Amino acid sequence: MKFALGLIFIGNLAAPFMARAQNLGTSPQFGQAVQGQQATTVEGTVLNIVNWSCNVIAPVIAVACLGIAGWHFKSGRGYLGWGVTGVSLMVISGLGRMAEGFITQAQGIQ
């Protein structure tokens, strides 16, 4: 329990630095929509959520799961569940990116 609370505390301290790391050039782009959309429209918000989920969240969690799978494999514990989860997240990420491409193509966004 203390370990989990420690991770949450460290995450809260590191969040501002991680937000800076996600940028679209020389500075972070907060409140910006996907190209061709406005963040205030439903379409822009949905595309932003899909973009963030598929390009940032799923791959980061997938790498963590695959790292844990390797650690479990090395220590002789069950690793298959972690490995399948990591690979599945990468597949979901790729499918989400494809869907995002189809949506933006259908709307005429480059």
Side-chain angles (χ1 to χ4, degrees):
M1 182 68 169
K2 290 181 183 179
F3 180 72
L5 290 174
L7 285 177
I8 292 170
F9 179 71
I10 290 171
N12 285 333
L13 291 176
F17 299 110
M18 290 187 285
R20 272 200 177 281
Q22 300 300 327
N23 64 51
L24 300 173
T26 59
S27 64
Q29 302 295 316
F30 296 108
Q32 298 296 316
V34 175
Q35 211 173 24
Q37 295 288 339
Q38 295 178 355
T40 56
T41 64
V42 174
E43 296 86 1
T45 304
V46 170
L47 284 176
N48 279 339
I49 291 170
V50 170
N51 187 24
W52 179 254
S53 300
C54 295
N55 292 326
V56 178
I57 294 174
V60 168
I61 295 174
V63 168
C65 288
L66 292 173
I68 292 170
W71 177 33
H72 279 235
F73 177 76
K74 185 177 178 185
S75 62
R77 295 187 283 177
Y79 61 91
L80 194 57
W82 287 105
V84 168
T85 302
V87 171
S88 299
L89 282 168
M90 290 307 293
V91 169
I92 289 169
S93 173
L95 290 174
R97 287 186 220 175
M98 282 183 10
E100 180 185 8
F102 291 138
I103 292 169
T104 55
Q105 186 178 19
Q107 292 179 347
I109 303 169
Q110 293 298 328

